[in-house]
Amino acid sequence: MAQPLQVLAQQLTDSPAHAWALGLWRASQIVSPLAQAAHIVGFSIVLGVSGMIALRVLGLGLASQSPPEMGRRLYPWLGGALVVLLLTGALLFLAQPQRYLVNLAFQVKLALLLANLALTAVLAAGLRRDARHGREAFWRGPAARLLAAVSVLLWVAAILAGRMIAYASSVSE
């Protein structure tokens, strides 16, 4: 009996979206490396913004700026990078759904990325609240430090999982 993820991967492979992505992929030899490079750059910006703010909340680096000020300046970059990450990730995924969907390393990377984005959103909301009320109550508290520490660990794990995608076998094997 086929696993649900294998069935979904096959349905995606048979879909017009896959045909479109594959057609785009094969239209030029430069599409694949450009999409992969843009994906890595997008991921790097998301990681950089999240990581810089998390490290600042933990008391490491850039002591001249408060985390709420850093967030005000850097979170717009995160939003733009997420759009690039989503678009390029969708293209990469749709071109080879059989390769990614049933790959345990991809599933782990995606779960870590989603968890980290949720942590980043909670941290950003607290920093905005501090900035709006002119206080430092949230980012100096233990909850923010715990969120920041977990975020840094999850980013490291997401990077490792992303690198393992090429080497991991599928879930069904």
Side-chain angles (χ1 to χ4, degrees):
M1 186 161 125
Q3 300 288 335
L5 289 177
Q6 291 171 322
V7 171
L8 180 58
Q10 186 59 51
Q11 289 172 342
L12 286 170
T13 300
D14 296 337
S15 75
H18 171 69
W20 172 82
L22 207 52
L24 185 60
W25 210 253
R26 293 178 177 159
S28 172
Q29 290 182 347
I30 199 162
V31 172
S32 173
L34 280 178
Q36 291 175 7
H39 192 71
I40 291 169
V41 168
F43 189 79
S44 298
I45 292 170
V46 169
L47 170 66
V49 168
S50 298
M52 285 176 60
I53 293 171
L55 289 173
R56 178 60 185 99
V57 168
L58 292 170
L60 305 170
L62 291 175
S64 63
Q65 290 184 354
S66 71
E69 174 61 23
M70 288 179 71
R72 185 187 65 74
R73 293 179 57 219
L74 295 177
Y75 281 136
W77 286 89
L78 184 126
L82 282 174
V83 170
V84 169
L85 201 57
L86 181 64
L87 293 175
T88 57
L91 178 61
L92 292 165
F93 176 78
L94 286 172
Q96 297 179 318
Q98 296 278 5
R99 176 181 182 205
Y100 292 110
L101 197 56
V102 296
N103 186 306
L104 182 59
F106 174 77
Q107 294 169 11
V108 169
K109 175 193 169 188
L110 198 57
L112 291 167
L113 181 60
L114 292 173
N116 215 337
L117 290 175
L119 286 177
T120 299
V122 171
L123 191 58
L127 295 178
R128 278 194 300 274
R129 198 170 39 252
D130 275 1
R132 200 171 35 248
H133 297 293
R135 63 180 187 202
E136 298 179 350
F138 173 74
W139 76 266
R140 289 198 183 267
R145 289 198 172 139
L146 178 62
L147 285 172
V150 171
S151 179
V152 169
L153 292 174
L154 288 180
W155 280 122
V156 170
I159 291 167
L160 292 173
R163 290 301 309 138
M164 291 305 298
I165 291 171
Y167 308 107
S169 39
S170 69
V171 174
S172 63
E173 294 180 341

